Amino acid sequence: MTRLLYFAWVRERVGVAEETIDLPPALVTVADLLDWLATRSPGHAAALSDRSAVRVGVDQDFAGFDAPIAGAREIAIFPPVTGG
Amino acid sequence: MIAVRVQAEPFDLAAEATALTAGRTDIGALVTFTGLVRDHGLSLEHYPGMTERQLCAVADEACARWPVLAGTVVHRYGDLGPGDPIVFVAVAAAHRAAAFEAASFLMDWLKTRAPFWKRAGDEWVAANASDDEAAARWGGLPGDREPG
């Protein structure tokens, strides 16, 4: 089971802050995951419609879309950060 | 050693600076930076866990690059009003160049690597390309995935 976390407007569009999902083993990379998630609900699709606007953290480190997700416990999807 | 804190509560600039240098005779330079909320209020969301992890990584990198003797990074989250302190960076070193540079580096990198998101009223604040450029001038980590 993988814990998926959503932040800021990604969270608002998806409609939940987090969900725990048994990911299909066919999902190899972050990009695969985003493609798959976008089919789960209109909210997911809206949140992920512009991939250039989202960033991903795999187990609390930034990960590119080509990064593998095998074994990840926690994957977060969020807009570019705006702290400081 | 740079201490990192993420908190909703306000912080006391003078107390933070004083605590860093109390009892020390090896520190010749103390640089502090405080970021304040401008114009209108902000609400800050963050990613508990990843925020601390990324801030600690940035702090470790600063210590690897400069001879830092002590330091503090405090970043707030939650609802903040105009004029409220939002972020504090302090770096103590033997000499000023290292303290200035490390403090500047810490701010530039935390702005692009710490998972905070600002909301002003009903709008999420968009990321700023100039922040990415400011962070990029320091280079990256070997094998680093640029977050921006």
Side-chain angles (χ1 to χ4, degrees), chain B residues 81-109:
Chain B
D84 283 353
I86 177 171
V87 61
F88 176 80
V89 164
V91 177
H95 302 287
R96 71 182 183 282
F100 272 124
E101 288 176 19
S104 188
F105 166 84
L106 282 166
M107 273 310 303
D108 286 345
W109 266 32

Side-chain angles (χ1 to χ4, degrees), chain A residues 11-12 55 61 74 82, chain B residues 45 47 53-54 116 119 148:
Chain A
R11 168 177 50 74
E12 292 176 342
R55 299 291 180 270
D61 276 321
E74 189 171 294
T82 56
Chain B
E45 179 173 333
Y47 177 177
R53 179 175 167 81
Q54 296 302 320
F116 287 92
R119 187 185 176 93

Side-chain angles (χ1 to χ4, degrees), chain A residues 23-38:
Chain A
L23 297 178
L27 306 182
V28 176
T29 64
V30 166
D32 294 340
L33 172 67
L34 298 182
D35 289 342
W36 183 77
L37 279 176

Side-chain angles (χ1 to χ4, degrees), chain B residues 19-95:
Chain B
L20 260 189
T21 55
R24 304 281 297 252
T25 56
D26 53 339
I27 292 171
L30 172 65
V31 167
T32 68
F33 171 84
T34 308
L36 308 174
V37 177
R38 272 182 297 129
D39 302 333
H40 40 58
L42 288 173
S43 181
L44 266 96
E45 179 173 333
H46 77 119
Y47 177 177
M50 182 170 175
T51 306
E52 290 81 354
R53 179 175 167 81
Q54 296 302 320
L55 287 176
C56 286
V58 172
D60 287 349
E61 184 63 18
C63 291
R65 294 188 185 203
W66 290 277
V68 173
L69 291 174
T72 305
V73 174
V74 183
H75 204 305
R76 293 178 67 191
Y77 61 88
D79 293 329
L80 301 175
D84 283 353
I86 177 171
V87 61
F88 176 80
V89 164
V91 177
H95 302 287

